[in-house]
Amino acid sequence: MTSSSSSSQDTKRLAHAYPEGLRADALMEEDVAWSYEIDGDRDGDQFDRSERAALRRVVGLSTELEDVTEVEYRQLRLERVVLVGVWTTGTAQDADNSLAELAALAETAGALVLDGVIQRRDKPDAATYIGSGKAAELRDIVIETGADTVICDGELSPGQLIQLEDVVKVKVIDRTALILDIFAQHAKSREGKAQVALAQMQYMLPRLRGWGQSLSRQMGGGRGGLATRGPGETKIETDRRRIREKMAKMRREIAEMKTGREIKRQERRRNKVPSVAIAGYTNAGKSSLLNRLTGAGVLVENALFATLDPTVRRAETPSGRLYTLADTVGFVRHLPHHLVEAFRSTMEEVGDSDLILHVVDGSHPNPEEQLAAVREVIRDVGATDVPEIVVVNKADAADPLVLQRLLRVEKRSIAVSARTGRGIEELLGLIDDELPRPSVEIEALVPYTHGKLVARAHTEGEVISEEHTAEGTLLKVRVHEELAADLAPYVPVSAA
């Protein structure tokens, strides 16, 4: 390691003495860090060029490590990527935030972000996403940084993908493929893996390409004969047919798993157990909140999409009412349509709930964008009629002015910290108030021989008062109509 460090320092000294002569060689060395002395002037010139069409570097995205030992270790296992965004609407800060989120996604997928550039355009170029001239500039950046992958902050068409790869000469993926890769890494349950596989096949189907595009199969088999030779199926058509068959199989499997979950939901409905769904932006702290409210022990990690599989836990309100709390998959801006469709059965937990806890990261630079992105997906799954409480999480790390703004704009909102426990008691009380209450209030003297009715009153209803007398248990409860009918024979005459 010492020799490597000294040789790197020698290279830098020579670069100062002969910047033009040694620059090309230095750029080809992967262990040479970016140098302000060498590259600073060049980047400064880039800022001074034409404002609308220039590729503008986004500062602060690089995750390359300084320590030589860590760099050498990480280069063994991480892809080295350059990020590319097209800024069409909004402010420059919005475009920078979008690319910063793409950098976080790339890190979660296990990549090393070397650089990021943004181009201002009215709309993405139909051929190469950023235009042929800028694609050539991007090729130069790829060579300079030693990157092996380019990630575009948008969904590329098959044609854009192929043509951009032809120019930059390295692998090109888009935001959708990146998110699918993260989902594939984090899916643990059988249903989660099936949903991710279905989304990947939907994405891959129109993007198949390779040597078999122009090769065809004969129509007949065996020894051939008349009317057996002809175009037949091309190799790519065969691949597409097989993918469609696998997709049909995956959809059947997901439908069968959905049936099992629907049976569990029907059982909860039969027992009149209210349900609360935790929804929100990825990495907003949903799993941390679930653990704080129920002690569920769900994986908590500072990473996007750390948990995919929905977790349902039993909880109890301060007044003693039982309800279920479901943690759902995190959302993100521009969530790929394939994922919304594939995870629709999982997201139905949100649509079938009695209350949504919409968790938002209070320490995020723009939490309002997170709220809008999640509500868009909630609208897609048909859950707009479900009551919503906005839970502003990470209040201990958030700007107080941002908290005040969110609490003022969102009428039904509360600030909490799942890490420290701040505001959790108030949130439990708010859940108790917002959950639907049984419609019938009744007083009944239940004989001790009918203890099951007392137990049902505790689990399915809301016990206002309870007194043990010589004749039995005197209950004053608020219950649903079915249980009220079962308790009716035991209503005291005076109460009736």
Side-chain angles (χ1 to χ4, degrees), residues 165-180:
E165 276 189 354
D166 287 342
V167 176
V168 298
K169 306 300 181 186
V170 295
K171 180 173 68 175
V172 176
I173 64 173
D174 58 13
R175 185 187 182 94
T176 302
L178 179 61
I179 294 176
L180 286 171

Side-chain angles (χ1 to χ4, degrees), residues 186-234:
H186 291 174
K188 296 294 185 291
S189 68
R190 178 168 169 257
E191 182 174 14
K193 291 178 180 177
Q195 288 169 327
V196 171
L198 176 60
Q200 285 178 319
M201 286 186 284
Q202 285 178 314
Y203 174 79
M204 183 171 42
L205 186 62
R207 292 170 173 81
L208 286 179
R209 64 184 192 271
W211 289 102
Q213 287 181 355
S214 59
L215 303 179
S216 63
R217 299 291 186 265
Q218 288 187 341
M219 292 164 58
R223 298 181 180 179
L226 294 176
T228 60
R229 296 177 181 84
E233 275 189 317
T234 63

Side-chain angles (χ1 to χ4, degrees), residues 120-407:
R120 182 72 170 93
R121 296 179 65 96
D122 293 333
K123 61 180 180 179
D125 182 68
T128 59
Y129 185 65
I130 56 175
S132 57
K134 300 306 171 188
E137 288 184 34
L138 178 61
R139 170 62 181 163
D140 294 338
I141 295 173
V142 168
I143 294 174
E144 290 176 13
T145 57
D148 49 37
T149 304
V150 170
I151 304 179
C152 297
D153 191 17
E155 185 165 349
L156 301 186
S157 68
Q160 288 173 322
L161 202 64
I162 294 171
Q163 294 189 56
L164 189 56
E165 276 189 354
D166 287 342
V167 176
V168 298
K169 306 300 181 186
V170 295
K171 180 173 68 175
V172 176
I173 64 173
D174 58 13
R175 185 187 182 94
T176 302
L178 179 61
I179 294 176
L180 286 171
D181 182 76
I182 296 171
F183 271 53
Q185 291 181 42
H186 291 174
K188 296 294 185 291
S189 68
R190 178 168 169 257
E191 182 174 14
K193 291 178 180 177
Q195 288 169 327
V196 171
L198 176 60
Q200 285 178 319
M201 286 186 284
Q202 285 178 314
Y203 174 79
M204 183 171 42
L205 186 62
R207 292 170 173 81
L208 286 179
R209 64 184 192 271
W211 289 102
Q213 287 181 355
S214 59
L215 303 179
S216 63
R217 299 291 186 265
Q218 288 187 341
M219 292 164 58
R223 298 181 180 179
L226 294 176
T228 60
R229 296 177 181 84
E233 275 189 317
T234 63
K235 176 65 168 62
I236 200 167
E237 288 171 344
T238 305
D239 292 340
R240 284 176 177 157
R241 176 166 50 81
R242 288 174 178 170
I243 288 178
R244 290 191 185 99
E245 290 171 355
K246 287 183 179 179
M247 287 171 60
K249 181 182 177 182
M250 285 292 179
R251 288 193 178 99
R252 288 194 298 269
E253 290 180 0
I254 292 173
E256 291 172 1
M257 289 182 262
K258 177 185 174 182
T259 302
R261 195 170 52 254
E262 181 62 31
I263 291 172
K264 293 178 183 177
R265 277 203 291 262
Q266 288 176 357
E267 182 69 15
R268 294 199 295 267
R269 291 194 201 102
R270 188 177 66 82
N271 292 328
K272 307 297 181 182
V273 179
S275 62
V276 177
I278 301 178
Y281 213 76
T282 180
N283 210 31
K286 298 183 299 301
S287 297
S288 300
L289 185 64
L290 177 69
N291 290 343
R292 175 65 70 171
L293 293 174
T294 67
V298 177
L299 169 69
V300 174
E301 188 177 346
N302 184 24
L304 307 186
F305 301 114
T307 50
L308 288 184
D309 306 315
T311 305
V312 181
R313 290 292 183 268
R314 180 173 169 172
E316 188 173 318
T317 66
S319 63
R321 286 194 295 159
L322 293 177
Y323 66 96
T324 60
L325 200 59
D327 184 16
T328 60
V329 63
F331 304 145
V332 72
R333 271 183 304 183
H334 314 303
L335 190 67
H337 180 71
H338 311 300
L339 283 177
V340 176
E341 288 300 316
F343 279 80
R344 184 172 293 276
S345 57
T346 303
M347 292 175 181
E348 284 174 358
E349 290 287 351
V350 178
D352 290 341
S353 63
D354 297 298
L355 179 67
I356 296 175
L357 296 185
H358 185 165
V359 184
V360 60
D361 183 357
S363 63
H364 190 270
N366 197 338
E368 286 86 359
E369 279 191 7
Q370 290 192 351
L371 287 167
V374 174
R375 282 170 175 158
E376 183 180 348
V377 180
I378 289 176
R379 185 169 58 251
D380 289 343
V381 298
T384 52
D385 296 332
V386 181
E388 174 193 68
I389 297 176
V390 175
V391 181
V392 185
N393 193 23
K394 305 183 184 179
D396 55 319
D399 184 345
L401 294 178
V402 174
L403 288 181
Q404 292 177 13
R405 185 178 75 234
L406 287 172
L407 296 178

